[in-house]
Amino acid sequence: MSAATEAFLAMLAAERGAANNTLSAYRRDLAQAEDAIGALAEASYDAVASLAGEWADLAPASAARKASALRQFFGFAADEGWRSDDPSAALPRPRARRPLPKLLGHDEIAALFARAEHEAAGDDPAAVRLLALIELLYGSGLRATELIELPLHAVPRDSPFLTVTGKGGTTRMVPVGRRALDAVGRWLAIRPNEPASRFLFASRKGQPLSRVRLYQLVKALAARAGLDPAAISPHVLRHAFATHLLEGGADLRVLQTLLGHADISTTQIYTHVDSARLVALVNSRHPLATRSTSD
């Protein structure tokens, strides 16, 4: 990669606190663009426009993500005085529809937890750890990365809250229910002390459990519970947390805080799952709801 793109990535990390996953995605997108058209700080307008052809076979969401990375780079390059122009207008603007979250019903959640609880009844460390993991995914709505990177000191001692570090290094307090507290307590009681690790859910080498391994564990549990593994993942359990809270009457702003969304528009995607309840709410609570059309 060129020195300019490396400087841009360094700025994202230092000034904006971009997460490692975000930096990796930006690095990959910028490197691929430079492989196609050369150093971005020097690329011509026509060269930038040619990326539309390079991305022709990509999904709209992927092309939109790449275009966004380049727009931010070109803005940075202009601020630094490396370019006198901004060729961002040459980039394609694919319309990427935000995908709706996969839905997981209450019966499926019950089956998943019944299996996990049955397996953890004998205090097998692996089974107890898995129960604690899914309790925090569904009971507190954590992201996969937030969960596997939980440090030991984040575990509540005299308060039913976890301190979670989310995207961009932002922290938030997340409530933890009795079930999750019990499962985490059981795990702490039998958690191996070697190798020493500061993480609540550590690998055998003392590093955080990997995202890949977490996905494998959840999908394998789904299969043992008689569910379709393709339909269940750590992120789907987070979606279930959000949709089921909304069904139960949770306020959208509260849900935004619990999920750690910077923009409430991200949280609003969950409103589709309970549209009937929202319509009923308007019909019953709106000031005009009790007036007839003939009044």
Side-chain angles (χ1 to χ4, degrees), residues 244-264:
H244 294 168
L245 275 183
L246 194 63
E247 288 174 358
D251 179 82
L252 203 60
R253 287 287 182 184
V254 172
L255 193 58
Q256 176 190 6
T257 300
L258 294 177
L259 292 172
H261 288 162
D263 191 335
I264 197 170

Side-chain angles (χ1 to χ4, degrees), residues 51-248:
L51 288 172
E54 295 283 339
W55 301 343
D57 295 331
L58 296 178
S62 298
R65 187 198 68 235
K66 290 177 180 293
S68 175
L70 266 66
R71 286 191 187 92
Q72 293 184 63
F73 170 80
F74 288 133
F76 175 72
D79 291 342
E80 294 294 313
W82 299 336
R83 296 190 65 114
S84 59
D85 65 332
D86 183 353
S88 295
L91 291 166
R93 294 182 176 273
R95 293 189 176 183
R97 292 184 60 190
R98 186 185 295 272
L100 296 178
K102 292 181 180 178
L103 301 182
L104 204 60
H106 294 274
D107 291 345
E108 293 168 304
I109 286 290
L112 190 72
F113 276 86
R115 182 67 192 187
E117 290 163 357
H118 173 74
E119 294 179 356
D123 286 339
D124 172 64
V128 173
R129 182 184 68 172
L130 180 55
L131 178 61
L133 287 167
I134 65 169
E135 283 284 1
L136 290 174
L137 285 170
Y138 177 66
S140 298
L142 301 187
R143 298 179 177 94
T145 300
E146 293 171 347
L147 176 61
I148 61 177
E149 294 184 354
L150 274 177
L152 278 170
H153 65 70
V155 178
R157 302 191 183 279
D158 55 0
S159 174
F161 289 90
L162 278 176
T163 301
V164 177
T165 302
K167 289 186 175 181
T170 58
T171 59
R172 69 184 190 279
M173 300 293 289
V174 177
V176 185
R178 287 196 188 93
R179 289 171 50 101
L181 283 175
D182 290 344
V184 171
R186 289 178 61 192
W187 167 240
L188 286 173
I190 61 176
R191 173 181 176 271
N193 293 321
E194 295 294 338
S197 176
R198 67 182 183 88
F199 297 104
L200 177 59
F201 301 108
S203 68
R204 294 178 181 177
K205 296 181 179 180
Q207 296 302 308
L209 189 71
S210 72
R211 285 168 54 92
V212 171
R213 184 58 181 152
L214 177 61
Y215 273 69
Q216 291 172 340
L217 290 171
V218 171
K219 288 183 178 295
L221 175 64
R224 296 195 300 272
L227 304 173
D228 179 9
I232 299 179
S233 70
H235 207 59
V236 170
L237 289 175
R238 172 174 158 88
H239 287 323
F241 163 83
T243 54
H244 294 168
L245 275 183
L246 194 63
E247 288 174 358

